[in-house]
Amino acid sequence: MSRAFLQMSRAFLVPQFSIFKPFTKRLIVNMSATASKNVGIRVGSLVVEPPAHPTYDLKTVIRLALSEDAGDRGDVTCKATIPIEAEVEAHFLAKEDGIVAGIALAEMVFDEVDPTLKVEWHRKDGDSVHKGLQFGKVQGKAHSIVVAERVVLNFMQRMSGVATLTKAMSDAAHPACVLETRKTAPGLRLVDKWAVLIGGGQNHRMGLFDMVMIKDNHISIAGGITNALKSVDLYLEKNNLQMGVEVETRTLEEVNQVLHYASTTKTSLTRIMLDNMVVPLSNGDIDVSMLKEAVELIDGRFETEASGNVTLETINKIGQSGVTYISSGALTHSVKALDISLKIDTKLALEVGKRTKRA
């Protein structure tokens, strides 16, 4: 790796803002369940705790988002058009119906840009909003608000989109619980999974470190599902580790192999994934008979997780099959952002919105 590349990487990872406080004066706190109250989130706005992660630094993610916007000059348009002493009030406006998420994170962004900004909300994370609703406002220096605007909205729109789809899927899946996957935007793992929690879903594993998940490639390399399970049990025992263990099964034969192994060997297995056992039909319906048979075979001895062919249209039928969980990559990898804006002239924004049918 060249010295020039390393220098460039260091410069990117430790961005410098001429318009923000120097980093040396601000505390960096790794995000975790126990540290979340210390990362700049106001207690009143923190409705849903962010998921725990041993190394993820949410403040650094915010700073990188601000850095890619500010570059090496800051907001040149703002500097050219807005007097430095100007103060304004800007309102959050929902342009479509959905579940709002990212309010607590938005407050962190505003605080990072300018701690003197005053933010007030009429909704909280997880609440419903409707098209045309003004659900919050921020007051203070115009420069600071305009600089923070796009980063705040990028986080909120994505998180609200994830939360909106999660809420719809969770309601339809009952009594099964909905999980996301690791198919998240690079660098936004915790943010995406936080939005799932806000939307009423549950989190799957955070990453490769907090759960053993034996998938098809592991099984193929290990020489079969039984060999893979044996290897995992030996590894956990040797390293004195206790964590959830899930194995992916693709056929009823593999389900029976897992059950046979578990009946003859002490195992750390906790969950069996039933992958692609939901069969799409030509008429648009789905066949869940194979999934139901697998659930009956397992008979409550382990948690079960359905995966594959999960959509808003199919999830209700899958949820009635008896599975414990339903996982869907679409919650985060194909999310449609919820349309939200931050406007100073809300009267004009609403007029334009009505003309374009977006407010």
Side-chain angles (χ1 to χ4, degrees):
M1 189 177 294
S2 70
R3 180 177 296 177
F5 179 81
L6 284 171
Q7 289 174 340
M8 180 180 70
S9 300
R10 291 191 190 104
F12 175 73
L13 289 172
V14 188
Q16 298 296 319
F17 298 96
S18 59
I19 54 175
F20 307 127
K21 287 185 177 181
F23 282 179
T24 54
K25 293 183 180 179
R26 301 190 69 84
L27 178 66
I28 296 177
V29 181
N30 283 339
M31 177 59 74
S32 69
T34 55
S36 59
K37 63 180 180 294
N38 298 319
V39 295
I41 304 175
R42 296 186 180 98
V43 175
S45 67
L46 188 57
V47 178
V48 178
E49 288 272 357
H53 194 290
T55 60
Y56 196 99
D57 188 343
L58 192 51
K59 281 208 166 189
T60 295
V61 173
I62 289 170
R63 288 168 178 170
L64 287 175
L66 290 166
S67 174
E68 68 181 358
D69 229 9
D72 59 351
R73 287 195 177 92
D75 186 344
V76 291
T77 311
C78 189
K79 290 176 179 178
T81 60
I82 301 174
I84 192 67
E85 70 280 359
E87 295 202 358
V88 295
E89 179 177 285
H91 294 259
F92 284 92
L93 178 66
K95 290 186 169 181
E96 58 183 321
D97 300 348
I99 303 298
V100 68
I103 283 175
L105 184 55
E107 289 193 359
M108 292 181 68
V109 177
F110 284 129
D111 185 68
E112 185 65 36
V113 173
D114 183 353
T116 69
L117 293 175
K118 295 179 176 63
V119 191
E120 182 182 320
W121 304 100
H122 313 306
R123 292 291 186 275
K124 60 184 183 299
D125 279 330
D127 282 350
S128 297
V129 293
H130 61 264
K131 185 165 68 172
L133 178 70
Q134 294 180 43
F135 63 91
K137 65 181 180 180
V138 56
Q139 298 170 281
K141 295 177 182 176
H143 269 241
S144 300
I145 292 172
V146 173
V147 164
E149 173 193 1
R150 179 42 51 196
V151 172
V152 164
L153 290 176
N154 282 349
F155 279 128
M156 288 188 70
Q157 288 176 328
R158 180 176 177 85
M159 289 183 72
S160 297
V162 171
T164 299
L165 181 56
T166 301
K167 178 70 164 73
M169 282 199 164
S170 295
D171 288 348
H174 186 77
C177 298
V178 171
L179 309 171
E180 83 297 270
T181 69
R182 286 168 52 237
K183 296 175 182 177
T184 52
L188 294 180
R189 173 70 52 81
L190 187 143
V191 173
D192 280 355
K193 287 179 174 281
W194 191 2
V196 167
L197 294 180
I198 291 169
Q202 295 186 26
N203 289 150
H204 210 300
R205 58 178 178 161
M206 278 299 296
L208 300 173
F209 61 91
D210 59 333
M211 179 182 185
V212 174
M213 189 166 174
I214 309 168
K215 300 191 72 175
D216 51 358
N217 286 336
H218 303 111
I219 292 167
S220 298
I221 296 167
I225 204 162
T226 301
N227 286 345
L229 284 165
K230 283 180 181 176
S231 297
V232 166
D233 283 331
L234 288 171
Y235 175 83
L236 293 177
E237 183 179 4
K238 180 180 178 181
N239 292 277
N240 195 27
L241 291 173
Q242 290 186 334
M243 60 178 61
V245 176
E246 180 170 7
V247 63
E248 179 182 296
T249 60
R250 297 155 290 181
T251 65
L252 294 176
E253 181 184 358
E254 285 188 333
V255 172
N256 277 312
Q257 289 176 26
V258 170
L259 294 175
H260 176 73
Y261 172 80
S263 67
T264 58
T265 310
K266 183 182 177 182
T267 180
S268 297
L269 181 67
T270 54
R271 188 185 304 173
I272 300 175
M273 176 185 283
L274 308 171
D275 189 47
N276 287 310
M277 294 190 187
V278 175
V279 181
L281 302 175
S282 57
N283 64 358
D285 199 0
I286 53 170
D287 180 0
V288 295
S289 57
M290 183 179 179
L291 180 65
K292 286 183 175 180
E293 187 174 351
V295 171
E296 289 171 3
L297 283 171
I298 296 164
D299 194 26
R301 282 173 280 183
F302 300 98
E303 296 174 341
T304 53
E305 178 185 330
S307 177
N309 292 309
V310 177
T311 67
L312 193 52
E313 291 70 36
T314 64
I315 198 167
N316 179 260
K317 195 168 185 178
I318 297 170
Q320 305 308 308
S321 68
V323 292
T324 319
Y325 299 105
I326 304 172
S327 57
S328 171
L331 290 178
T332 54
H333 74 56
S334 301
V335 62
K336 176 186 176 295
L338 192 73
D339 198 356
I340 297 169
S341 63
L342 181 63
K343 296 296 183 183
I344 294 168
D345 190 341
T346 52
K347 182 179 177 182
L348 179 57
L350 286 167
E351 286 178 8
V352 173
K354 287 176 182 176
R355 185 174 70 224
T356 58
K357 302 187 186 304
R358 293 179 64 199

